[in-house]
Amino acid sequence: MPKNPSSNGAMDVTSPKRARTQGGASARGKKVLISDPIEQVCVDILQKAGVVVDCKSKVPPAELKKIIGEYDGLIVRSGTTVTAEIIESAHKMTAIGRAGTGVDNIDCVAATKKGIIVMNTPGGNTVSAAEHTCALIASLARNVAQGDASMKARKWDRKKYMGVELSGKTLGVLGLGRVGREVISRMQSYGMDVIGYDPFFPPDASRKLNIEPVSAAD
């Protein structure tokens, strides 16, 4: 079953060493159900490790409860809700993988009681989210959306939508987690100064990343 994320959100089971069950036995011959759309590379990796993969998207809860007992593992995204009732019917299951960050659609308490490991990929979309954020910041600074609309209206308001340089400006970031830090490293390359607030991130660690820590009051 997957453990570490790759940049495209697929779960990392690329080596035979990773394709192990909870007890350390080979995953070959094990059955895994993927109940939400997922990158083909994930399916390929599992199959290469000898795992029997069934891809069945949008399975109704009643049907999922009926068939879940056939599988040793389950991989979901946000479309499948794995309830305690479904988990109770998962007689062979050893692991549930979430191809994404949140596990709020999985009853982790019920899974733990049944001895099923629940895993997620918290860094799977970190870079994508950070790059998208940086693109939006640059777009706002340069009025890209407004300029595009103006051009489509057969106008040329060059001075009106000139925008401003990001270099030398100050960027404020709320939350210095994975995505926040990736955004900061990219925007610092634009020459931006960064202030950041995160009650759980040590001020000394912030300063090492050239982030000026600020309080909530600031």
Side-chain angles (χ1 to χ4, degrees):
M1 288 293 295
K3 182 72 174 178
N4 296 329
S6 69
S7 61
N8 63 2
M11 294 176 167
D12 181 10
V13 286
T14 52
S15 71
K17 290 183 179 180
R18 291 193 184 278
R20 303 289 178 178
T21 60
Q22 185 177 351
S26 172
R28 187 166 299 278
K30 299 294 183 180
K31 290 187 68 176
V32 170
L33 173 64
I34 300 178
S35 61
D36 290 316
I38 201 168
E39 295 287 340
Q40 181 61 37
V41 65
C42 182
V43 178
D44 295 341
I45 289 169
L46 290 169
Q47 290 177 336
K48 186 176 180 180
V51 176
V52 178
V53 181
D54 285 345
C55 297
K56 299 180 180 180
S57 299
K58 298 181 179 180
V59 181
E63 183 181 347
L64 183 58
K65 182 183 175 182
K66 289 181 181 179
I67 65 174
I68 199 66
E70 305 173 18
Y71 298 95
D72 302 281
L74 172 67
I75 296 176
V76 302
R77 299 199 81 167
S78 58
T80 300
T81 300
V82 188
T83 64
E85 190 176 7
I86 290 172
I87 290 172
E88 185 59 33
S89 300
H91 307 300
K92 296 171 56 180
M93 191 159 294
T94 58
I96 299 173
R98 166 71 165 92
T101 302
V103 293
D104 51 302
N105 57 320
I106 302 171
D107 193 323
C108 295
V109 174
T112 300
K113 288 180 179 179
K114 205 168 176 64
I116 299 172
I117 297 174
V118 177
M119 298 177 285
N120 66 343
T121 56
N125 64 343
T126 297
V127 171
S128 295
E131 288 180 351
H132 185 63
T133 300
C134 295
L136 292 175
I137 292 172
S139 178
L140 285 170
R142 288 297 181 176
N143 299 310
V144 172
Q146 297 92 327
D148 176 68
S150 176
M151 286 290 291
K152 288 177 178 178
R154 298 180 179 276
K155 299 178 182 179
W156 179 239
D157 299 317
R158 185 174 62 176
K159 292 184 178 180
K160 183 177 181 181
Y161 298 124
M162 184 177 295
V164 296
E165 290 185 351
L166 291 173
S167 179
K169 301 295 189 299
T170 299
L171 175 68
V173 179
L174 298 177
L176 302 177
R178 291 183 181 89
V179 176
R181 294 197 301 273
E182 290 291 342
V183 169
I184 288 168
S185 69
R186 285 158 175 75
M187 298 317 296
Q188 285 174 333
S189 70
Y190 276 72
M192 297 194 77
D193 298 318
V194 180
I195 59 174
Y197 169 72
D198 191 324
F200 305 104
F201 201 78
D204 289 344
S206 296
R207 294 188 181 94
K208 288 180 181 179
L209 297 173
N210 294 318
I211 304 167
E212 181 60 32
V214 295
S215 66
D218 296 333

